Amino acid sequence: MHVFSVVVWLGGLMFQSAVAMPIFQLEGDQSKAAMRKVNKRFIGFVWMSVWTMLITGVIMMLLNPKFVWFEYRDRWSILLGVKELIFIFMVLYAFGYARMLKYLEAPSSNGGFSDKAELYRHRVNQFRKISIFLGISALLLAAAM
Ligand code: HEM
């Protein structure tokens, strides 16, 4: 379950960044609505992955004889600690990502889409790329545990 939720979250982010978004951008304005819908639908999967990773991670951590509360002396606990820190940052970026998508949805005072839409789209892409980098780093740490 733990690894599966990593696959859904990280795999989904990479699919969006490397496959879906370049095509949507090529298609121009008419595909922006579809892009928003894809992003919005994916956020649901991100939160499912976050909770699954957290719950399975904590269970595995508490059941592991190497785990001692607040002790980061050996390699395993240091790698786990850094991985948990990365996880917290990834969750913060997921909140930022969800917030930017909300702003992108919100119509502006003149009825059209917010004139900051370009900035929000840029932030969404930025947060996605940073999350991918963090996710791959956490994966490498997990492999080293
Ligand atoms: C983005 C964040 C994370 C990624 C990519 C990740 C990835 C992984 C992977 C791939 C494994 C399997 C390693 C193996 O079987 O060799 C693993 C194991 C584990 N993860 Fe995570 N994980 C993440 C977050 C967390 C969090 C937040 C916790 C704790 C709250 C956690 C606790 C654990 C534990 C205890 C294990 C078992 C380690 C062992 O058996 O020695 N992980 N993780």
Side-chain angles (χ1 to χ4, degrees), residues 3 23 29 64-65 76 81 88-89 93 101 113 125 129 131 134:
V3 175
I23 292 172
D29 281 357
N64 199 306
W76 184 87
I88 293 169
F89 279 110
Y93 277 110
L101 291 182
F113 278 102
N125 290 335
K129 288 194 179 110
S131 299
L134 291 173

Side-chain angles (χ1 to χ4, degrees), residues 4 17 39 57 64 69 89 96 100 103 106 121 125 129 145:
F4 180 70
S17 246
N39 285 336
N64 199 306
W69 281 107
F89 279 110
M100 290 299 126
Y103 289 160
R121 259 190 290 279
N125 290 335
K129 288 194 179 110
M145 279 171 76

Side-chain angles (χ1 to χ4, degrees), residues 54-115:
L54 186 60
I55 293 166
T56 53
V58 168
I59 292 171
M60 288 194 293
M61 181 179 76
L62 296 176
L63 293 178
N64 199 306
K66 287 180 253 179
F67 176 71
V68 183
W69 281 107
F70 310 114
E71 266 195 23
Y72 295 97
R73 287 223 195 103
D74 63 342
R75 178 190 147 98
W76 184 87
S77 42
I78 292 168
L79 290 172
L80 179 64
V82 179
K83 201 172 68 150
E84 288 166 347
L85 207 59
I86 290 177
F87 177 77
I88 293 169
F89 279 110
M90 283 183 75
V91 172
L92 291 175
Y93 277 110
F95 272 113
Y97 181 86
R99 174 71 60 88
M100 290 299 126
L101 291 182
K102 268 222 172 72
Y103 289 160
L104 269 175
E105 289 278 319
S108 74
S109 52
N110 60 10
F113 278 102
S114 162
D115 44 12

